[in-house]
Structures are given as structure tokens and as C-alpha cells.
Amino acid sequence: MPSRSSRPRRAPRRGLALAALLAAVAAVAVVVFLVAGGGGSRPDPRAQAQAAVARFATDWSAGRDAAAAAATNQPAVARRALVANRRGLDGARVAVRAGAAMLLEDGRARAPLAVTWRIPAIGTWRSTATATLRRDEQGDWRVVYSPTLIDRHLRAGTRLGTAATAPTRASILDRAGQAIVRERAVVAVGLERDQVHDVAASARALAKMVDIDPDAYIEQVRGAGPKQFVEAVTLRSGDFAKVAARVRAVPGAQTVDGRAPLAPTRAFARAFLGTVGAATAEQVARSGGTIAAGDDIGQSGLQQQFDGQLRGSASRSVVTRDAATGDVVATLHRVPGRAPRAVRTTLSQRAQAAAESALGGVTGNAAVVVVQPSSGDVLAVANRPTDMTFDRGLGGIYPPGSTFKVVTTAALLRRGLDPGATVPCPRTITVDGRSFKNFEGEAGGSPSFADDFAISCNTAFIGLAGRLHDGDLTSVARDFGLGRDSTSAVAIARSRVPAPAGAVAHAAAMIGQDRVTATPLAMAGVAATVSAGRWHAPRLLSDDRSTTGPRLPSDELAPLRSLMRGVITHGTGASALSSTPGEPIGKSGTAEYGTGNPPPTHAWFIAARGDLAIAVLIEHGSSGGAVAAPVVARFLRAYGT
């Protein structure tokens, strides 16, 4: 029987068990450590895919198309597509938000994209796209390029784009609601580049014929493509008929029939109505996206002032286009436009035609304005030359000269002047060393004031200056509309009659000089005030507000009408107007301006007959009776009774 001492001890067995236990714990700890990353964990693939698509979305949103494309599997192709689609949407800004990435069974990943475009002239458009990702050879996630990465509506060979459908421009209407400016037949005249053998000869001949710069047109033709039609000018069909035979004789000349918004004639109220033409690059840039290259917009006059109303706004769409042809494939989003609205004026086509006819022989700067005394409605605004945009009838500021004597006479009548009283008309008169003389008439002996008025005697009026206080002319002028602010929506220059400072200024103001200034429209209003018995604010648009001045007292109105009738029967307007039917009344004016000895002059004549009042201004005219009165006569004959 073995002895007790030879039995194995239990303590060592317990130690081995403890060691094994500790080793097991350590092994578990290592596993936990490794799993926790302490020994290099395996990355989360979904999180990596999410990070990759987020970087793509961030770069695309920031406009970094190259960086966004670099995150794809086809950087060059993707970059071209991103640039082309952004350009197709007129340079829109984009904000892209990537949704949660999802791992697919085939090892790829997919994430939805919320895409918000901010497109010029359209606004915000929201769409969606899909990003598919897969690992490259290095194990990095790459966004797979396809058209649907940019928008879910795209397919191979298509891109995003915009389209616009512009409405037909509204008309400018006359007082009866009839269109003045409307679509009319025109003929575009130019050269067909591949039919021209001698560019300089053909271009110069055509340019001379249609009155354009020949050198500029030669360069334009030389720079044209081989099949290009190079337009020189667009003519009304009637105007083209006058030169048609000569145009066709030019080698390479071609014509294209069309239609354009035009007034009845080229001259017809041109400065007032304005013109329409293709938008310049500067106008496109200033428009903030509302005007595109090639759009026709108002360039002057009412066409420019009310361009937005007349043009309306185009209906604009987000579309898909064939990348090769540019044709629209589908419409994705549409923003309705704004319907154009007509502008209704107070113009009378009959009166305007008569005014244009009256100015037919005038080649220098001139204006005719016709007003309806009973309402203040402006019936006609004609200007010369016709190729200028400045409307001197409404915006030209001039000394009114002796036409202002109507106002001066009203002030004198209020101070007790008797028109039958004798008022000398010397050849000259001197005030504080300044000599004044007569322009259109002088009388010997002892003429009455009525005779002085008829022959427009300056010295007689200056001799009466002492009867008026310094503020009389200013206050009385307001009763005739001078010095008042306009109530029309159309821009009108303000006439001024400031209180004269000193005896010389007071003398000059008596005859419409010194600092007295007025527009032809304002002086037509003076004649209209005498005709109607009170001033009516000029109205150029049908919705302009009507305002009036005080009614002139009968003991002032009757003498004024009689005095102005005398100008026609035996005064400065007699030679041109004495045989005109309807018993018109009027007043001539010759206004000095500038410097010289003698100073240069402008010629004026204002008149009224029935419910018509007219003012004529001829710049650099010698005298109102000789130069401006015949224009009034031609107007009244052309207008008829």
C-alpha cells in the first residue's frame, strides 16, 4: 500500500487550472481589443459609401464640378455632363443632399439624391437623382456615373435645359383704343454671303442705297459664314417698293419678307412711341436673367418705359433636350408667364398724321404738339429729325419768347390794363443799360396795346414792366400750367417761371426771356387755356389723372381771345393763317438763346381753333411768324374742319 507521501499534491493542480483560466480571459480580452479597434478593425462599408456620396454631393453643390467628377468612376465623362447640364439650366446653382446609403446584395451601394436647382428667370426647381457606388481596385467607393446621377429623367444622349415661349408683344393704342403700333409687313434687305463675289462693291452699293454705314457693313459681310444672310436694314414694304429695283440690281442682294411691330409710318410719333429692337449684351447682363440674347425689347419712348407691360413675360420650362440636336424631349417643370398688356394713349391718329404732314418739309430740329383744350389730352407729338430718340416736344426746354406774352398780358389785365390804351412801340428801349429791340414788328405813332400784341412789340411790353410786381408773372403763369409738376406717368420736363431778380431780368421776363423756360407741350397748354377758359393738366395716357387750374375770369378771357385773334387777322400770323377757316387764334414768338451779336433765335407759334391747341417750335428759326406759323397753317389744313 503506497505511502501517503507518494500521493500527488492538489495544490499544483489548482494552480494549473487558474493559469488556464487566466489565459482564457486574456484571449477574450485580445479578441475584445481587436474588435474594439485596438488591433485594426474592419471598416463599416456602409459608412464608407455614405462618406463617398456625401463628398460628391458637397463638391457638386459648391460648383466644384471637376472635384465632384473625380469622385466618380468616369471623371472626364462625368465632368462634361455636370458642366453641360449646369450650362443647359442657364448657369443655375444647385444644392444636393445625399440620403442614407444602402448596401446591395451584389456588393454595390445606393443612395438617393435630393437635387434643388435655382435657375435664372425660372426660380427653384426640385428633382431627384440616384447615386450608385461600387468599390474600385483599391477598395475605395466610387460613384458610378450615369445620366440618372444628375437627374432621374435623363437618359443616354439627353441633358437638362430650359425653354421659353414669349407672348406676342402688346400694342400701343390710340385714344379710340385702336392699335397704333401693330404687326406690319416688312422686308429685310441684305446680302447672301456665298452669292457675293466683290464684298466691298456689293456691300457699299447696298449700304448707300438704304442709308447705313458702308464700312461697318462691309466688315460685317466679310466676317459672315459662307451661307449666311447678312441683313443691312429692315424696311416697311411700302418703303422697300421704292428701292426694290435698285436693290435687286446689286450682286448677291437678297430680301426676306416678315412682320414687325410698327407705327403707320416711320416718322409717326417716333420719339414718343419709341422703338423695339434686339436686346444688347449690356441689356441682357443688366436684366438679371429676365431678358435673353435675341429678345426684342423697347429701346426708347413708351416702348422702353412700358417694356415690361407691353412684353409681358415668357412662359419658361425646365426640359430635357437631345444632346446632339438640342430638340426638346420632355417638359419637366413649367412656370407660367405674365400676359402682356396694351398701353392706351390719348393720341389721335388723325391729329398725329396731320402733325407729321405739317412738319414734312422741315429738316432741322423741330416739334409740334397738339392738345385738346377741353380735356388736356395730348392728341399729337411730332418731332424732327425722326431718327432721334429725344422727344423735344415733351422734354425740350426753351425760352418761349413772345408766345409768353399771352401770360404777361393776363398779368397786365389783372393789374387793370385796357387793351385799347395807347402803348408806344419804339424801335428800342433801354433798361439799366441793357438795350432791347423788336423782332417781328414795330409801330410808329401811338399804337394801341392790341396793335402792340398783334405785331409782338417787345418794347411796348417792356415799357409796361413797372405795372407788375416781381411775383406776378410766376403766379399768373401757374394758372396757365407753367411751373407746375406733371401728373402724367410719362416723363415731361418742367417749365419754369421764376421771379425775376432786378429790373433787367424783369424786362426780359416780360417777353419770355431771362430764366423763363417751357416745353412745346407747355406752350400748347397756354393756347389751350385761353381756348377752354381754364388749364387742364396734359394727359398722355388714358389713365393719367385729370387736374385743372382756376377758371380765368371773363374780363380777362375775352380780351385774350380777341388779342390772339388779331395776331391772325392783321398781325405776325396773318400771312400764313389769315385765310385759314375756323377763326383760329394765335401768338408768335422769337426767342433768343446763347451768345452772339445778334444772338441766335428759335421760332415759335402757338394757336387754337375749336377744341384744338397747337404749339410749333423750330430750332434756329428766324422768326415765329415767318417760320413756325406756316407749320400751324399746314396742320390745320391737313386736319380739316
Side-chain angles (χ1 to χ4, degrees):
M1 184 173 186
S3 66
R4 184 181 297 270
S5 59
S6 63
R7 293 179 181 174
R9 294 182 179 178
R10 292 179 180 253
R13 186 179 295 271
R14 287 197 301 270
L16 289 173
L18 180 60
L21 178 60
L22 292 175
V25 171
V28 171
V30 169
V31 171
V32 172
F33 175 74
L34 290 174
V35 171
S41 66
R42 179 178 297 175
D44 180 356
R46 192 194 66 78
Q48 285 186 319
Q50 188 75 61
V53 73
R55 285 193 300 272
F56 170 79
T58 299
D59 285 333
W60 187 14
S61 299
R64 298 189 290 266
D65 292 339
T72 72
N73 65 330
Q74 299 183 70
V77 175
R79 181 179 183 181
R80 287 194 297 271
L82 290 171
V83 170
N85 282 278
R86 191 188 298 273
R87 185 181 296 129
L89 294 178
D90 305 327
R93 292 181 297 164
V94 64
V96 185
R97 181 173 55 82
M102 178 179 64
L103 297 179
L104 305 178
E105 292 180 358
D106 61 3
R108 297 181 302 163
R110 181 170 295 155
L113 300 176
V115 184
T116 301
W117 293 96
R118 290 178 176 81
I119 308 169
I122 289 181
T124 300
W125 174 57
R126 293 179 174 86
S127 189
T128 60
T130 301
T132 300
L133 300 95
R134 69 183 177 197
R135 293 182 184 275
D136 61 15
E137 294 177 353
Q138 288 74 38
D140 296 325
W141 286 102
R142 293 283 175 184
V143 177
V144 178
Y145 173 73
S146 73
T148 54
L149 175 64
I150 295 173
D151 190 271
R152 63 187 175 88
H153 302 94
L154 293 178
R155 300 294 181 266
T158 63
R159 63 167 176 81
L160 294 174
T162 61
T165 303
T168 301
R169 190 178 184 88
S171 296
I172 296 178
L173 310 178
D174 66 9
R175 62 189 296 101
Q178 300 299 311
I180 299 174
V181 176
R182 57 181 176 82
E183 293 287 318
R184 301 176 193 271
V186 296
V187 179
V189 179
L191 294 173
E192 193 75 28
R193 181 65 180 88
D194 62 351
Q195 300 297 314
V196 179
H197 303 295
D198 187 337
V199 170
S202 290
R204 193 174 298 281
L206 194 60
K208 183 178 180 181
M209 196 178 306
V210 298
D211 195 25
I212 63 172
D213 181 356
D215 294 331
Y217 187 54
I218 289 170
E219 290 304 311
Q220 189 179 356
V221 176
R222 281 178 173 155
K227 297 287 186 180
Q228 185 175 345
F229 171 71
V230 187
E231 182 178 329
V233 70
T234 296
L235 300 174
R236 298 165 186 270
S237 56
D239 293 335
F240 171 71
K242 300 173 185 176
V243 297
R246 288 187 293 151
V247 166
R248 294 189 179 107
V250 176
Q254 295 289 334
T255 60
V256 178
D257 294 336
R259 300 186 71 79
L262 298 171
T265 67
R266 187 176 186 277
F268 196 95
R270 184 178 176 87
F272 175 57
L273 298 176
T275 58
V276 176
T280 65
E282 292 78 8
Q283 289 169 329
V284 171
R286 290 197 303 265
S287 73
T290 60
I291 298 173
D295 284 355
D296 284 334
I297 65 171
Q299 299 289 353
S300 62
L302 295 185
Q303 294 283 11
Q304 182 182 56
Q305 182 177 351
F306 296 97
D307 181 65
Q309 175 178 332
L310 291 165
R311 185 162 48 89
S313 63
S315 297
R316 299 182 183 272
S317 303
V318 179
V319 300
T320 57
R321 291 185 180 275
D322 186 293
T325 65
D327 294 338
V328 173
V329 176
T331 298
L332 310 180
H333 175 67
R334 184 175 181 273
V335 177
R338 185 181 69 255
R341 293 183 294 114
V343 171
R344 187 165 179 171
T345 70
T346 60
L347 292 185
S348 157
Q349 294 202 51
R350 175 187 176 189
Q352 186 68 43
E356 301 293 353
S357 174
L359 280 177
V362 178
T363 57
N365 294 344
V368 170
V369 178
V370 183
V371 171
Q372 184 179 54
S374 62
S375 65
D377 287 2
V378 178
L379 304 180
V381 184
N383 287 272
R384 291 295 183 274
T386 59
D387 59 351
M388 295 183 67
T389 59
F390 176 58
D391 191 338
R392 59 180 38 83
L394 306 182
I397 293 291
Y398 306 89
S402 291
T403 57
F404 185 72
K405 288 174 182 172
V406 174
V407 175
T408 305
T409 299
L412 289 168
L413 290 170
R414 294 181 190 185
R415 291 294 180 184
L417 174 69
D418 177 2
T422 298
V423 180
C425 178
R427 186 180 300 271
T428 62
I429 190 171
T430 301
V431 177
D432 282 358
R434 165 79 183 275
S435 179
F436 294 87
K437 64 179 183 178
N438 297 314
F439 282 105
E440 297 191 63
E442 51 195 34
S446 301
S448 67
F449 177 80
D451 292 329
D452 293 329
F453 188 96
I455 64 173
S456 200
C457 179
N458 286 341
T459 58
F461 275 79
I462 292 171
L464 295 171
R467 296 196 179 196
L468 298 182
H469 299 160
D470 286 346
D472 283 355
L473 290 178
T474 301
S475 61
V476 173
R478 284 187 59 82
D479 293 348
F480 289 79
L482 302 181
R484 291 178 179 264
D485 291 328
S486 169
T487 58
S488 174
V490 179
I492 299 172
R494 191 174 189 268
S495 300
R496 299 183 183 279
V497 185
V504 173
H506 188 54
M510 295 286 289
I511 57 173
Q513 298 284 169
D514 187 38
R515 294 178 295 157
V516 179
T517 57
T519 62
L521 171 60
M523 294 314 297
V526 169
T529 301
V530 177
S531 176
R534 71 190 313 167
W535 173 77
H536 291 78
R539 298 173 69 249
L540 288 149
L541 303 179
S542 61
D543 53 1
D544 279 343
R545 183 162 52 92
S546 296
T547 59
T548 61
R551 184 170 296 281
L552 300 183
S554 58
D555 58 353
E556 178 181 315
L557 192 58
L560 283 175
R561 289 171 175 166
S562 176
L563 291 168
M564 292 178 70
R565 179 61 185 158
V567 172
I568 304 299
T569 58
H570 60 279
T572 55
S575 61
L577 289 156
S578 60
S579 61
T580 303
E583 297 189 352
I585 61 176
K587 182 68 189 77
S588 64
T590 306
E592 291 183 342
Y593 69 96
T595 59
N597 188 20
T601 56
H602 297 316
W604 286 89
F605 205 94
I606 62 174
R609 187 191 70 181
D611 206 15
L612 294 173
I614 180 173
V616 173
L617 166 76
I618 309 292
E619 287 191 14
H620 317 304
S622 58
S623 72
V627 177
V631 177
V632 174
R634 291 198 294 270
F635 168 79
L636 293 175
R637 286 196 298 270
Y639 186 85
T641 56

